[in-house]
Amino acid sequence: MTWPQQTGRFDLGDMTMLSGATLPGAFLSYKTHGTLAPGRDNVVLYPTSYGAQHPDLEWLIGPDGVLDPARWFIVQPDMFGNGLSASPSNTPAYPDRVTAWDNVQAQRRLLREQLGIERLACVYGWSMGAQQAYHWAAIFPEAVERIVVNCGSARTSVHNQVFLASLMATLEAAPEHLGDGRFAAQPAAAMRAFGRIYAGWALSQDFYRAGLHLTALGAPDLDTFLRTDWEERFARRPAENHHAQLRCWFAGDISANPLYGGDLAAALRAIRARVLLMPGATDLYFRVADNEAELPYLRQAELCPIPSIWGHRAGNPIQNPEDAAFLKTQVRRWLD
């Protein structure tokens, strides 16, 4: 079964970042699914996550999927730094730090100026997409009815930052690194190490103890799994784009802006949207405890952990039917 789909590009011109730096010739790549209702009240924004481009996340869109394009007009904006929107790989003067605030400001303009949309029925996001959903609700509280924070948090925790710092240090140690996240060539050895570090964090200890890397994902042995599922996948993206998005993730904080001046509690209290918090029970990045700490400050929110040993990938369960069914049930309930 098919439904209306359209890809596009929105040119923002020279855009001033939260840091004060300029992103010259900024642009967003995006794709829409479904039909915009006459009242323009059926819009679900679905931003991308770390290292992902919109085709990577389309698996959950469909009549039998998590997001039904027969009901919703789904807009997938590509994050800055992902290679489809403005990124180090296609923008020589890309700033040192582009934040979730910057992404959300650009997305607001895309919706208003390109698509004529003022209000969102929901912002659905996983991982860095969930951080953007949280930013939308805090920055534009009047424009968002619901958000789904799937394996994300309002502020990147210190423990999460330690992981991100290890990845940045790995890339920066490469002989190909020129400084400031730029590279003379793709650093193959560093990217191999990068993928193997990531594999130890993205999936839980219980996942590996159960041997799911072999049984559920079909690898003949651990080394093959690390090479095909992690090394090769990350190597397909330029290292400079990876580095830029790591900086964005590291700086994730809905209160680190002129609206809230670093007051996280005030930013959470300002959110008017109904918030579904869906942490993975064994996620090592965005812990259940992070969302538990946010919950008391939110006006209308529900904590619904994903009961899974798939770690962070429980929130993007392409190869995991049980978690996909849980996600579909809970998200559709929230949207209804």
Side-chain angles (χ1 to χ4, degrees), residues 49-53 56 79 81-82 128 198 234 237 242 245:
S49 53
Y50 181 79
Q53 299 176 345
D56 301 321
M79 278 189 72
N82 82 339
M128 284 186 79
Y198 221 108
F234 281 118
R237 302 276 194 260
H242 282 302
Q245 288 203 317

Side-chain angles (χ1 to χ4, degrees), residues 106-155:
Q107 292 163 15
R108 177 69 154 168
R109 286 187 55 191
L110 162 67
L111 292 171
R112 276 183 161 174
E113 299 172 27
Q114 187 93 333
L115 302 175
I117 294 166
E118 289 289 335
R119 188 167 175 81
L120 296 170
C122 184
V123 186
Y124 173 95
W126 171 65
S127 194
M128 284 186 79
Q131 290 185 314
Q132 292 167 78
Y134 240 144
H135 275 76
W136 258 98
I139 297 168
F140 304 115
E142 76 291 344
V144 184
E145 294 178 19
R146 314 171 189 83
I147 64 172
V148 177
V149 177
N150 177 4
C151 296
S153 64
R155 173 185 284 167

Side-chain angles (χ1 to χ4, degrees), residues 127-211:
S127 194
M128 284 186 79
Q131 290 185 314
Q132 292 167 78
Y134 240 144
H135 275 76
W136 258 98
I139 297 168
F140 304 115
E142 76 291 344
V144 184
E145 294 178 19
R146 314 171 189 83
I147 64 172
V148 177
V149 177
N150 177 4
C151 296
S153 64
R155 173 185 284 167
T156 302
S157 71
V158 175
H159 184 251
N160 197 336
Q161 289 177 326
V162 170
F163 159 67
L164 301 171
S166 73
L167 293 174
M168 284 188 275
T170 299
L171 295 179
E172 292 163 5
E176 296 89 348
H177 185 237
L178 301 173
D180 296 324
R182 296 290 185 159
F183 298 83
Q186 183 77 338
M191 289 307 305
R192 181 172 182 267
F194 183 102
R196 289 181 175 240
I197 294 169
Y198 221 108
W201 283 75
L203 296 160
S204 76
Q205 296 94 333
D206 297 326
F207 173 92
Y208 286 107
R209 185 179 298 112

Side-chain angles (χ1 to χ4, degrees), residues 85-115:
S85 290
S87 306
S89 62
N90 57 36
T91 305
Y94 193 86
D96 286 345
R97 188 170 73 175
V98 175
T99 65
W101 164 281
D102 301 318
N103 276 277
V104 167
Q105 296 291 339
Q107 292 163 15
R108 177 69 154 168
R109 286 187 55 191
L110 162 67
L111 292 171
R112 276 183 161 174
E113 299 172 27
Q114 187 93 333
L115 302 175

